[in-house]
Structure formats: structure tokens, C-alpha cells
Amino acid sequence: MADGDPAARSAPRGRRDLTQGPITRTLIAFALPTLGSSVLQSLNGSINTVWVGRFLGEGALAATSNANMTMFLLMSFVFGFGMASTILIGQAFGRREVDQARRVIGTAIGAFSLVAIAVAVLGWIFAPQLLSLLATPEAARPLALAYLRVIFLSMPGGLMLVLLMMALRGGGDSLTPLWFMILSVLLDSGLNPFFIAGIGPFPKLGIAGSATATVIANTAALVGLVIYIYARDLPLRLRGAELRYLRPDPELLKIILKKGLPMGLQMIVISASGLALLGLVNHEGVDTTAAFGVAMQLWTYLQMPAMAVGAAVSAMAAQNIGAGRWERVGRITRSGVFTTLALTGVLVILLAAADRTALSLFLGPNSPAMPIARHIQWMATWSFLLFGVTLVLFGTVRANGAVVGPLVILCIGLIPVRLGFIFLARPYLGADALWLSFPVSSLSNLVLAAAYYLKGNWRKIRLQVPPATDECVELSETAGEADGRMSPTG
């Protein structure tokens, strides 16, 4: 395949016909690559959490939980617009308009690199105030500040790296981003213990060493990817007069902002709810915050099958709606529900049976946070079964372009329902109100999503073309619970 041939690049996506064949088999085959990519991305955060927990203890775990959740929120402000850029690039390649794809990536890099740099500078300056807003435990605050300030330095490089990877996938190249994602993961997780403990010639930086490894990994992967793009003369490179595309085009930027707003708002709602919850958890002390951070790491993997299946359902439903095959849409939804219940159910059972083993990867067997983490798991983990069904229903309705309904439902479930339950029940249940808020909000979301799917007007939307496959996948991958990862996507 010629590197510069857009027709060749877009052909594999064009041949992915999801309107034919057995539904469940096609659904699973489509979901598996998305699942694999999400696992690889999140594995990096989990490995780093293991290093921090093992070398530095519960206070450091609490610190990284606070810092990473803060980064999750700040990245969410711009990440939705990056995903919108990816969708536009994919559509441009589908029309064989390589120059238009270059205009989009130029506008995205030109606009959001400036935003990322500004956020990094302001984040460094106001990091103490951010931690105060979260009511970060006093014992963890110095560690959290040291970690957060260095992590802010990784934001411009990290955002540009992810933006380029997403753009390449939008152009039909999923292999190149995978290789450089592997490079970033290996560098980050491999360098963590050396910078934390000062092994060999490396300085002993403690918790700041974990963040330093992330900065180095992001920078190295970004530089390597840019060199590779130009060395292979891939279609998205900008040369000569094309470098003027880095000056944001007002019309393109307007489209990116418009398409990215639903995705950005959804991620902001999720991360804001997570930050509010973390602020309440922080009042319970360092051990509880550390236990919650570890539980969230495990929940990262627990929700991945549902997110992958939801993305597959959305993509399949979009193609079938576009082909006028509405009789298959309901079957796709039912298959998605049963598949996500089966996959998530197996993980819930395995985690319940081996919770101590799983948690001991992050916490020592005698850690005071261990019994708290086990209690959190037993109280809340099963709610991801409800969460999974909701994602499948959201995936179907989004396939016809209905994005406002799911956004409103998420807002209701994650803010007034979840936080309202906590404030009403906490005087009677204590900290258990925090953990029970997960099944309560998940049940609320499921009931509202089911009502919207069965009785809402999403089927009547006919004025817009159903979204492309890439758009369906990107929207579905923004719906997970906020967790300890720095990146807001799986």
C-alpha cells in the first residue's frame, strides 16, 4: 500500500460492511480491537500505580489519585475537540480530500497546542489551589503537589501525541499509533522505578520521578512519531506552504468546536462528578483515598468491555440505519446487551473471587488501605453491569445522531442523583454512602436510558446523516467513569 495513497488508506474502512452477516459474531469482531487498544492505554497507568504504591505507600497513592483526576478534568476541556478533529479527518480521507485532512490537522494542532501550553502553565501556578479545592488530605498534599506540577509539564506533549495518533487512525492507519503507544507505555512504566528510587545513574525523585517518566515517555513518543510521519511521507505531514495550515482556519475551527462540544461536555460532566466525589472521599483520610484510587484502577478494566461493545453497537447501528435496515437495529441492541452482561459479569465474578489478589498488586498485604479497598469493591463493583447496559442503549441512539439525550441523562445520574444521594444518605450510612452512590447513579442512568430508547424520539431524527463509524467509536469511548488515568480516554 502506498503511503501517500488516500484511496488505499480508506479502503479497509470502506469495506467494513456491518449491515450483513451474523450480528453477535460481527459485533464481537468489531469490538475486540477497540478493547485491546483501551487495555494497552490503561495498563500504563496501572503499572505506574503499582510502582508508586510499592515504593512510596498509601500517601503517594492518594496523591496520584488527586493529581490524575485533576488532569482528567483539564484534559477533558480540549479532548472532545481533538476527537472531533479525528472524525473530520476520517471523513476527508473518505472523500479522497487529502489537502482538507491536512487543513484539519493543522487547525487542530495550531489551536489546541496553544490551549494545552496555557493550561500547563496555569496548572503549574495554581496547582496548590486546585488541591485545596479537592480537600486533598494534608498528609498527601506535598506529594500531590510535587507530582501534579511535573505532570502538568507532560500535558502539551501528551495531548499532541494523542491527537496525532487519533488523526492517523482517522486516516485508516491503526498500526502506526499502536507501535508508538507501545513505545510510550514501555518508556513510562519502565522508567518509573528508576526515577522514583534513584536506581543506577538516575536521580532519586520520589513521586516526582513517576511524573518525570511520563514527561519523558510522552516527549520521546511524540518526537519519534513526528520523525516517522515525515520519514515515511505519510499523508498528514505538512510541508512548505502547507505549514500555513497551522494557523487555525476560523471555519474549520468552528466546525471542530461544534462537533466536539457534545463529546467535550460529556467528558467534563463525568470528570467533574468524579472530582466532586474524590473531594468527599478525601475527607475520609489518606488510607480511604488510596483505597478508592486503587479501586478505580480496577474499575478501569471492568468498564472496558462495555465501552468497546457500546462502540461496536453504535457503529453497527449507524450503518444499518444508513442502509434503511431498521429491523436489524433492535437485534443489534439486544445482542449488545447480552454480550456486555456476559463479559462484564465474568469480570465482576472474577474480581469478587480474587479481590485481595488484585488489590495486592497495588497495596501491601498489611496495608491499612487493603480492607477499605475490599469493602469498596464489594459495595460498588456490581453496578458496572447496569452501567454496561446503559452504554449499549446510548450507543444505539447515538447511531442516529441523538447526542443530547444521553448527555442529559448522564448529567442527571452523575450530578443530582449521585451527589444528592451522598448528601442525603451520608449522615446515616457514613462513607458507605459514597460507594453506594455508584449503583444508585447507575440504576438511575439505566432507567432513564431505557425509557429514552423505548419511548424517546431518537428514531425520528431524519434531518442529519447518521454519524460515521469513527464518530460512533469516539463518542462511545468518552462515556466511562472517570478514574485514575491521566488521559480521559480508554
Side-chain angles (χ1 to χ4, degrees):
M1 179 174 65
D3 290 331
D5 182 4
R9 289 184 174 280
S10 61
R13 288 205 339 258
R15 290 197 297 268
R16 186 184 291 159
D17 186 357
L18 304 178
T19 65
Q20 307 291 333
I23 287 174
T24 300
R25 188 185 308 168
T26 304
L27 182 74
I28 293 174
F30 188 88
L32 285 178
T34 303
L35 178 60
S37 177
S38 297
V39 170
L40 183 59
Q41 283 182 299
S42 294
L43 191 61
N44 183 42
S46 296
I47 293 173
N48 292 348
T49 302
V50 170
W51 292 129
V52 170
R54 288 293 185 174
F55 278 105
L56 301 173
E58 290 78 11
L61 280 176
T64 56
S65 295
N66 278 262
N68 285 343
M69 194 73 82
T70 303
M71 290 299 296
F72 192 102
L73 174 64
L74 294 174
M75 291 281 277
S76 296
F77 280 103
V78 294
F79 210 80
F81 305 115
M83 288 187 287
S85 304
T86 302
I87 294 163
L88 293 180
I89 290 169
Q91 292 172 349
F93 273 109
R95 297 189 300 269
R96 315 294 196 266
E97 296 176 356
V98 178
D99 189 67
Q100 180 68 7
R102 291 172 181 164
R103 290 176 183 271
V104 174
I105 191 63
T107 291
I109 291 174
F112 299 119
S113 61
L114 296 177
V115 173
I117 291 171
V119 171
V121 172
L122 293 174
W124 176 282
I125 295 172
F126 295 107
Q129 288 78 6
L130 285 172
L131 295 174
S132 295
L133 286 174
L134 283 174
T136 303
E138 200 62 42
R141 190 166 298 187
L143 292 170
L145 180 60
Y147 181 84
L148 183 59
R149 277 186 158 160
V150 180
I151 275 292
F152 267 116
L153 298 180
S154 74
M155 188 172 185
L159 183 62
M160 289 303 103
L161 176 64
V162 173
L163 182 61
L164 284 177
M165 288 179 173
M166 292 166 63
L168 288 170
R169 285 197 294 267
D173 180 1
S174 59
L175 191 57
T176 298
L178 179 63
W179 288 118
F180 283 92
M181 186 190 304
I182 292 172
L183 173 63
S184 178
V185 169
L186 289 177
L187 284 174
D188 195 354
S189 57
L191 289 175
N192 251 263
F194 290 91
F195 279 110
I196 291 174
I199 299 173
F202 295 88
K204 185 177 182 179
L205 301 177
I207 195 169
S210 178
T212 301
T214 300
V215 174
I216 293 172
N218 284 347
T219 303
L222 175 61
V223 171
L225 181 56
V226 170
I227 292 173
Y228 181 86
I229 289 172
Y230 279 87
R232 294 293 304 275
D233 197 30
L234 297 185
L236 287 178
R237 90 290 180 275
L238 302 177
R239 293 185 187 277
E242 295 168 344
L243 291 173
R244 71 180 186 274
Y245 296 160
L246 291 172
R247 179 182 297 171
D249 181 295
E251 289 302 316
L252 276 178
L253 188 58
K254 181 179 178 180
I255 296 172
I256 290 171
L257 294 176
K258 182 178 179 180
K259 290 183 74 71
L261 187 60
M263 289 182 275
L265 283 176
Q266 179 172 290
M267 295 181 70
I268 290 168
V269 167
I270 292 169
S271 53
S273 172
L275 277 172
L277 182 63
L278 182 62
L280 296 171
V281 172
N282 282 335
H283 286 290
E284 302 294 327
V286 170
D287 291 335
T288 300
T289 302
F292 181 66
V294 170
M296 293 293 279
Q297 282 291 334
L298 296 180
W299 291 344
T300 298
Y301 299 95
L302 199 62
Q303 63 188 319
M304 280 181 184
M307 294 173 70
V309 172
V313 165
S314 193
M316 288 183 68
Q319 285 198 16
N320 282 271
I321 291 170
R325 304 198 64 181
W326 279 91
E327 76 281 358
R328 281 172 57 93
V329 174
R331 291 163 54 200
I332 291 168
T333 305
R334 288 191 295 273
S335 177
V337 168
F338 289 129
T339 301
T340 197
L341 284 175
L343 294 176
T344 307
V346 168
L347 291 180
V348 168
I349 292 171
L350 289 176
L351 188 56
D355 62 332
R356 179 178 286 276
T357 301
L359 292 167
S360 65
L361 294 172
F362 306 92
L363 299 166
N366 298 319
S367 168
M370 175 65 79
I372 303 172
R374 294 189 71 193
H375 181 69
I376 294 172
Q377 291 286 337
W378 280 98
M379 295 285 284
T381 297
W382 64 273
S383 68
F384 285 90
L385 290 166
L386 309 177
F387 172 83
V389 177
T390 300
L391 288 192
V392 171
L393 298 178
F394 281 173
T396 300
V397 301
R398 286 189 183 119
N400 203 35
V403 295
V404 176
L407 175 61
V408 171
I409 290 171
L410 276 175
C411 287
I412 293 172
L414 292 179
I415 298 179
V417 172
R418 172 175 288 180
L419 300 181
F421 172 82
I422 291 172
F423 285 113
L424 290 175
R426 201 173 185 185
Y428 307 98
L429 300 177
D432 283 350
L434 300 171
W435 326 133
L436 287 175
S437 71
F438 282 88
V440 168
S441 62
S442 294
L443 180 60
S444 168
N445 284 336
L446 176 56
V447 170
L448 292 174
Y452 185 64
Y453 173 79
L454 294 172
K455 302 295 184 181
N457 65 349
W458 63 274
R459 293 177 180 83
K460 299 177 181 178
I461 297 176
R462 292 289 187 271
L463 297 179
Q464 58 188 60
V465 178
T469 296
D470 290 330
E471 187 167 0
C472 295
V473 173
E474 301 294 356
L475 272 167
S476 296
E477 288 190 329
T478 65
E481 289 277 3
D483 51 37
R485 296 166 293 164
M486 186 187 72
S487 172
T489 61

